[in-house]
Amino acid sequence: MAATDHRPDDDSRVSLRTEGVLDKAHRALSIGTVSVVLLIAFEATAVGTAMPVAARELDGIPLYAFAFSAYFTTSLLAMVLSGQWSDRSGPLAPLATGISAFGAGLLLSGTAGSMLAFILGRAVQGLGGGLVIVALYVVIGRAYAEHLRPSIMAAFAASWVVPSVVGPLIAGTVTETLGWRWVFAGIPVLVVLPLALALPAIRRMASGPADPAAPPSFDRRRIRLALAISLGAGLFQYAGQDLRPLSAVLALAGAALLVPAALGLLPAGTFRAARGLPSVVLLRGVAAGSFIAAESFVPLMLVTQRGLSPTLAGLSLAVGGATWAFGSWVQSRPRVEPYRERLVVLGMLLVAAAILTAPTVLIPAVPVWTVAVAWAFGCLGMGLVIASTSVLLLKLSAPHEAGTNSAALQISDGLSNVLLLTAGGAAFAALGGRLLATTAHGAAATAAPSHPDAFAAVFVPMAAVALVGAWVATRLGDSPH
């Protein structure tokens, strides 16, 4: 009798040891979804390399920033749509639609005859990307047991390593030999593999509504808020490109749309770091925004202040892809699960230290390789934090709320990027950074004027934001009863 009583527990332990993201039940789904992330990663690195050439050939340099803001603006709207769509009818349709729109947007941009048509293609890409990323989170929440989710998140992070290293090289070679259009037109071919592998597995393991009794229609209020936050973000981004009085008016208009929309789309208590899900969503934005805003200025700092070539400046960040993946792998280990919150706090401290260390190379006596070392540790911290916030979000979300909450996480991530990049860019420009950037693109980089204060105005505030994130990381657990 005693043996019979203990047998289920023994079987459960055996099952936990044999089950994994590449077992027979999950293999096709895991390979398919990781392929989707690989596609997004390769697009992000390759298209960014080819975009300057495309803008120049299309006589669209004055509209260059809109090629980025169009993607982001439509992706914010698509995230909200995808969250509701996934909760009400399952993630299969939004994922298939998103991948298709992503490929169609690339083709539109690759065949564009004008900059406006190119920007339209980027907007369609943004719709696809927003639909895909939220639907993927819903798939993970439905198809993978809780103990497997850290591992699939680690696989997602690892899928960025190769594209971050070889993507710019391949895109640069293709652009120089065949032309920039082939970069955009060639990537949609990669859509076939994710569709063939992922969609049948999703139909089998994660299709259908989470709550069959839920109304099938979309929440019109949330759609209106999504439109407001998208338009507000677009205005804010545009205003951040210039310091004219008109830009201040546009920034205020953008803020007037952004603030109430963000309050309505993010979980209640997000902006006061309420314990549990609100702090998870807030931390995602704080971590991503502070790190990406700082990272955007690292290559420019190395080129203009220390005389590195653009290639060497870019390579100084390349090792970060590997340490980011390593951090995601560490958080996926079962033995660290009881210490996840401490791990996230450590991750944010590493991010803050990296951001604060990077501008020390403005001092000539500091070796230039200091940035590479610091950024490797910063990316390690980001690997711990980003994967963990994804895991915690799904853990704290009811099945019928996974789509909505996943959309909130992505909105926090993207919106924080816009706000902090805009703020950092404005501070940089105000302290002479615009002259520095203009000179660096003209004559030799070594002849660029020195503006250490402009860079300090970016890195020091972002390090402070990251330290705030370390405090938010102490509030990720459920609120005490």
Side-chain angles (χ1 to χ4, degrees), residues 336 402 431:
V336 307
L431 291 175

Side-chain angles (χ1 to χ4, degrees), residues 245-285:
L246 177 60
S247 297
V249 175
L250 293 176
L252 289 174
L257 290 169
L258 278 175
V259 173
L263 289 172
L265 290 172
L266 301 180
T270 296
F271 294 106
R272 55 182 175 84
R275 286 191 175 275
L277 182 65
S279 284
V280 172
V281 172
L282 177 61
L283 178 61
R284 179 58 163 261

Side-chain angles (χ1 to χ4, degrees), residues 183-235:
V183 176
F184 288 84
I187 294 175
V189 176
L190 303 176
V191 169
V192 177
L193 176 63
L195 284 174
L197 287 174
L199 298 188
I202 293 171
R203 183 180 292 109
R204 185 178 68 254
M205 302 176 68
S207 61
D211 182 5
S217 59
F218 286 90
D219 185 337
R220 294 182 180 180
R221 174 180 171 272
R222 291 187 68 84
I223 300 302
R224 288 195 298 269
L225 291 174
L227 286 168
I229 203 170
S230 299
L231 179 58
L235 289 172

